[in-house]
Amino acid sequence: MLALLFLIFILVINSIYLYKRTKHFLLPSPSFIVSVMFLIFSLMVLFNFSFFQEEISFVTVFFIVSCIVLMQGIELFFTTKKNITFRGNTLRNFKSYISNKKLFLSTCIIVLNTIVRYKRFMNIGSALGANNFAEAYIAMRIATTKAANGTIVDAFYDPGRIEIFLGNIATAAAYICLYNFIIDIVLGKKRIWKYLPPILCYIPSLFFETGRSAFLGIIMFIVFSFLFLYSIKNGVK
C-alpha cells in the first residue's frame, strides 16, 4: 500500500508539472497522457485494493517512473517546435512535430527492437521445442509463467538491460509517432501516412510479448489521446 501511495503521489506531481509545462501549447504532450493513464490506473487499484489484494513493490514504482521520465526525454529529443493552424487558431511552438530525419531514426530504432525481440522470441520457442510461430507463442507463454514462478533460469528468460533499454526507447518513440498520427487524424490532415511506417513496424513486437499489458497499454493510449484531442477540438472556437 505504501508503494502504491508513493506512486500516486509521484504521478500527481509529474502530471501537474507536465500540464503546466505544456498547457500553453494547447494540445497535451504524449508523456502527459501516459502519466495521466498510470495515475488513473493507480487510483483504480487503490480504490479497489480489497478486490486486487496485491501489493506493488518499490521496484515496480521505480520502473513506471523511469519509463515516464525516459519518454519525456525522448519526447524532447525527437520532437521539434513548429507552429500549426487548428481551426483558424495558431498553436505556437507546438513541440510534437517530428522532423523527417528524426522520424527515420525512430523508425530504425523500432525496426531494430522488433528484430531483436523476434529473435529472442523464436530462440526461447525453439529451445522449448517449438517449430513455428504459433508453437513458439504458446511456448513463450509457458516460459513466462514458469519464469514468474521461479522455475526457469533467469539468464535464459531475462532479455538483459540493453534489450530492455532498447525496448523502452522504441516504445516511447512509437507512442510519440502514434500520437502525431492521431493528431493528424483529428486535424483532418491528408498526409497522415507519414507516421505509419514506425507504427506498423512496432505492432509486430507486441506479439512477442505474451502478456496483455502491451496491447492494453497502446489501446488505452489511443483512447485517451482521442478523448483529449477531441475535447480540445470541440472547445476551440
Side-chain angles (χ1 to χ4, degrees):
M1 177 68 77
L2 183 60
L4 178 60
L5 292 175
F6 180 71
L7 174 61
I8 292 174
F9 173 76
I10 294 296
L11 291 174
V12 168
I13 298 299
N14 187 67
S15 298
I16 294 175
Y17 163 73
L18 291 175
Y19 172 76
K20 288 184 175 295
R21 194 191 72 181
T22 61
K23 65 179 181 179
H24 59 286
F25 296 148
L26 186 59
L27 298 181
S29 66
S31 56
F32 170 75
I33 294 177
V34 171
S35 183
V36 172
M37 281 174 49
F38 275 114
L39 177 58
I40 293 176
F41 293 151
S42 299
L43 290 173
M44 290 174 60
V45 173
L46 177 64
F47 293 144
N48 297 277
F49 190 78
S50 59
F51 173 78
F52 290 102
Q53 293 183 348
E54 187 172 343
E55 292 275 1
I56 68 169
S57 65
F58 279 98
V59 175
T60 302
V61 173
F62 176 78
F63 177 78
I64 293 175
V65 174
S66 298
C67 288
I68 295 176
V69 172
L70 178 63
M71 185 171 186
Q72 292 172 206
I74 295 174
E75 180 183 310
L76 292 174
F77 173 76
F78 278 109
T79 57
T80 305
K81 291 183 179 181
K82 182 182 181 182
N83 294 344
I84 63 175
T85 301
F86 183 33
R87 295 184 65 181
N89 295 270
T90 299
L91 307 184
R92 299 186 181 281
N93 295 333
F94 180 62
K95 292 197 62 138
S96 195
Y97 172 79
I98 305 178
S99 65
N100 291 332
K101 290 183 179 179
K102 291 183 178 179
L103 184 63
F104 176 75
L105 176 61
S106 64
T107 302
C108 291
I109 294 175
I110 291 172
V111 170
L112 177 61
N113 174 69
T114 300
I115 293 174
V116 171
R117 286 191 178 187
Y118 173 77
K119 291 186 65 176
R120 182 171 68 89
F121 178 88
M122 295 304 296
N123 286 339
I124 294 178
S126 177
L128 296 176
N131 297 316
N132 52 52
F133 180 85
E135 292 180 1
Y137 186 82
I138 296 175
M140 188 70 167
R141 289 188 63 88
I142 297 174
T144 304
T145 303
K146 290 183 177 180
N149 295 331
T151 57
I152 193 171
V153 180
D154 290 339
F156 174 69
Y157 177 74
D158 186 7
R161 294 182 179 180
I162 296 179
E163 185 177 337
I164 292 176
F165 185 70
L166 174 63
N168 290 339
I169 294 178
T171 299
Y175 271 59
I176 294 172
C177 291
L178 177 60
Y179 185 67
N180 279 269
F181 178 71
I182 295 173
I183 288 176
D184 286 351
I185 294 177
V186 174
L187 296 182
K189 291 189 176 182
K190 297 181 179 179
R191 299 181 62 182
I192 61 174
W193 55 265
K194 174 181 178 180
Y195 297 105
L196 276 178
I199 296 172
L200 294 178
C201 291
Y202 176 75
I203 290 177
S205 68
L206 298 177
F207 292 93
F208 308 142
E209 300 291 334
T210 55
R212 299 185 183 94
S213 58
F215 285 99
L216 290 176
I218 200 165
I219 291 173
M220 293 307 299
F221 179 78
I222 294 173
V223 171
F224 273 75
S225 297
F226 270 110
L227 288 176
F228 272 109
L229 295 174
Y230 269 111
S231 63
I232 293 173
K233 177 181 179 180
N234 294 331
V236 175
K237 305 298 183 181

